[in-house]
Structures are given as C-alpha cells and as structure tokens.
Amino acid sequence: MTFKQRTLTLAISLAFSAVSTLAQAQTVLTVKEIKVEGAQRTDVGTIFNYLPIKIGDKPDAEAISAAIKALYATGFFRDVRLEASGDTLVVQVVERPTVSNVSIAGAKDIEPEQLKKALRENNLAEGRIFDRSILEKAEQELKRQYISKGRYGVEITTTVTPLERNRVAVTISVNEGEVAQIKRINIVGAKAFRESDIIDEMQITTPGWFTWYTKTDQYSRQKLQGDLESLRNYYTNRGYLEFNVESTQVSISPDKESIDITININEGNRFTVSDVKLAGDMIIPEADVRRRILVRPGEVFNRQYLTESAKYISDRLGEEGYAFANVNAIPEIDKEKRTVSFTFFIDPGRRTYVRRINVSGNAKTRDEVIRRELR
C-alpha cells in the first residue's frame, strides 16, 4: 500500500470514528461553540479558516467526514478527530513534526549546499513541516542530479531522528559510486564521413591514455547533448542541410559502471547554393551588403557562413544607426537538383539616436575632458 493510500485510509477511518462519536453523543448537534485541542504551532484561526463547519451549523455524517478530510488535506496534521461535548464541537489535532535540521554526508562530486538547495525546492528544509512523501520526492531529486553526472550507481540513505518538541532531524547519507565510463560509441547511418572522423568531433570519448586526467570518458547527459550539436554543425557546415539525429540510445552495464552509446543519424543529401537574393528595406547600397555575404552561388552550403553573413549585415546597419536591425536568411530548397537558394530579408527597424551619455568613476578627470574624446 502506498503512502497516499495509507493516508486516505487513515482519513476515512478517522471520519467514521468521529461520526460514530458524535452520533453516540446526541442525535442532532447544533454547534454553539468550537474548541481546538492539540494545536501548538498552527494558529487556531488557520484551523477555523479550513474547517467547513461554522457556529450555528447542524453537521450530519457527511459534513463531519468532509471537515476531517479538509483539515487533513492541509498537510499540517497527522491525526484529526472531531468530538461533541454538549453543544461544543471539539477539534482534536496532532500536528506533523517540523524539520529541525537537514545534514548531508558523503557528497563530494556535488557540493552539499547545491544538494540542500535542491531539497529546499522540494519543500524539505529546516523549519518546514516534515512529510514522508516529500522526503521520498527529495531522494528522487538527489538521485536525478547524480545520474545527470553519470553516477548511475548512487545510493542515498535517509535517517529520520525524532527530537523533543515534535521535531525531527533528517540525515542523508550519499554513496556516490563511480562515474560510468564510456565503453563504446557507435554512429549508425554515417556514409559521407568515416565514423572515426565523426567521433573525433565529439567531446566524450572512450578510455585512453589521458582520459584519467581529462575525464572525457565519463558520461554525462549535458556532454552528450553538446556533442550532438557539434555533429549537427559538422554536417551542416559541409553541405548536409537536412542532417538530423534520429535517436540516441544509452545502455548501462549491470554493474552501472560502463556505458555504450549509439547515435542514429540521417545525413540526407549534400546541397549546393544556387542563388543568393536580397529583399527588404535596403538602407545601405546593395553592393555593400553583398560584400558581407560569405555564401556564394555554386559553393557547398555552409551554415556557419550563413549565420556570419547575417551578423555582418546587421553590424553594418548598426554603423548607420540601426542598432536593432533584423536580418533573416530564408531558404528555398530544390530536393531534386539538391540545391538551395537564400533570400536575405533585411529589416533595419527604426534608427536609434543617442539620448544621454553618463560618465561615472572619473574622480580625477572632469567630464568635459572625457566627452571630447567620444565620437
């Protein structure tokens, strides 16, 4: 039975217990007064705010059950009872303990403060109400952080120690384990280039002479994502406009210390540039713009050249006062001929003027001296 199931079962049993108590006390209860017993940290006004029964009500079994569930759902209490004493409704509560302190032992690869921050984001911190389900979520978050660093064998043990005044101390012991090493890297679908040349473009590698120092044979999800982008750049800068990483498979050995990585790619066709056009608001001469375009008709497509061309045009417009110019290269692909043409759409936007120049930090030199050096 899960924690939530146990919680619901407890709430329902408490509700029937309270209903039975009230039924035995009297057939019809008209609430003239409400008392709260057992509250230490929780303000009585807060309890009244969550309690759906008010003075003057005549609660039946359904209303009593709903009231217990409403108070239990706040998460403040681990036990709730309603009893009748004459015309007085007595609300008896047992508060959940608060977390006195959280300590982490055995963490080396990740700073303890960083782990505590992750715990706080999952509502496990000093001064907060302790809940076993929250602790389980916090454990999973810590494991997720270690797994993202390639430590698949991490073991996390938590100890909850009861303290006086309804408090608990939470101790988290971390056995980080070893970082999983990359045993093999397989590139499936590579035809235009040798697999070894493609792997050389990646940051992650298999174990070698110097990997004990560079740590490049240690797997992490962030490194793999960066390498997939490097592969994309490698292909698109060599004409493969439609290159795509279809999927990646990361398989872990039973001892969780070695990893095989398989990358499935679709190279697509190699494209050449058929034409380069200009469109939009031509603030500067066309010849001046074309001198800044690195993409040439007849050459193999290169994404880096395309990106740099748009930047150079934007910078040139900035020299004319158009600080927020927008330049986009729109492709037109001919898959049969394996060619692509680009149209550079130029939107210079509004011209920007200098409104004010502020000079600060000049303790010895006057503003006028500095301003006359400005263009």
Side-chain angles (χ1 to χ4, degrees), residues 141-174:
E141 173 59 22
L142 295 187
K143 286 184 179 180
R144 187 194 65 78
Q145 293 210 15
Y146 274 101
I147 288 174
S148 69
K149 287 182 169 289
R151 293 185 180 272
Y152 290 92
V154 63
E155 296 179 355
I156 295 177
T157 306
T158 58
T159 304
V160 180
T161 306
L163 301 175
E164 59 183 4
R165 294 182 313 212
N166 199 22
R167 298 177 302 156
V168 295
V170 179
T171 303
I172 299 176
S173 300
V174 180

Side-chain angles (χ1 to χ4, degrees), residues 49-100:
N49 185 49
Y50 284 103
L51 185 67
I53 300 175
K54 308 301 179 185
I55 292 177
D57 290 351
K58 297 180 180 180
D60 55 9
E62 185 178 350
I64 295 296
S65 177
I68 291 178
K69 290 180 180 179
L71 291 178
Y72 200 80
T74 63
F76 300 154
F77 314 109
R78 57 187 174 90
D79 193 3
V80 178
R81 293 179 182 273
L82 298 186
E83 295 182 354
S85 178
D87 292 330
T88 302
L89 178 67
V90 181
V91 181
Q92 296 180 343
V93 296
V94 178
E95 294 178 325
R96 292 184 185 275
T98 56
V99 179
S100 174

Side-chain angles (χ1 to χ4, degrees), residues 351-370:
R351 205 167 196 176
T352 306
Y353 295 88
V354 178
R355 178 183 175 187
R356 182 185 297 113
I357 299 175
N358 299 321
V359 181
S360 62
N362 50 323
K364 297 182 180 180
T365 308
R366 292 186 300 175
D367 280 10
E368 293 79 2
V369 178
I370 296 176

